[in-house]
Amino acid sequence: TWTEHRIDLGLHSGYRWAPELFIDDNGDMYALISNGASTASMSIYIAECNNIANLTFDNARTINLPNNPNMIDGSLCKDNGVYYLTCKNNTTAKQL
């Protein structure tokens, strides 16, 4: 049985899509989401869960990807202590 639960990440305007949850080895939960004023100016944001029982999160902050504007579809993973972020340039459709 599924129950709808709306999560506030502090992003109240613009386009939002591709939400994803990431749980670190220590149990910390993060939400990644694409957000921007238009589909031509997207960025990837990350927010940390501050209360797992109520699913409340800190306000999302931008993941800084220098020289890579208009990024979407962020996904995190961790392998041997190294974090990896994959995402897509929404203009060129290339993966980063």
Side-chain angles (χ1 to χ4, degrees):
T1 302
W2 291 89
T3 302
E4 179 178 330
H5 185 89
R6 295 181 184 253
I7 296 174
D8 184 2
L9 301 177
L11 302 170
H12 301 288
S13 63
Y15 294 85
R16 293 179 299 280
W17 69 72
E20 178 172 309
L21 294 176
F22 172 77
I23 300 174
D24 206 345
D25 296 341
N26 60 8
D28 291 340
M29 182 188 304
Y30 299 87
L32 283 85
I33 191 164
S34 303
N35 186 77
S38 73
T39 58
S41 64
M42 300 296 287
S43 294
I44 299 171
Y45 287 75
I46 188 167
E48 184 174 1
C49 181
N50 56 40
N51 185 315
I52 191 90
N54 295 322
L55 285 178
T56 56
F57 287 76
D58 296 335
N59 283 342
R61 59 193 183 280
T62 307
I63 295 177
N64 187 12
L65 299 168
N67 302 316
N68 289 290
N70 202 20
M71 303 304 289
I72 63 170
D73 300 340
S75 182
L76 272 176
C77 67
K78 184 178 180 182
D79 184 43
N80 292 321
V82 178
Y83 294 89
Y84 295 93
L85 171 69
T86 62
C87 51
K88 181 177 93 173
N89 183 306
N90 200 33
T91 304
T92 65
K94 292 184 178 182
Q95 289 294 121
L96 173 69

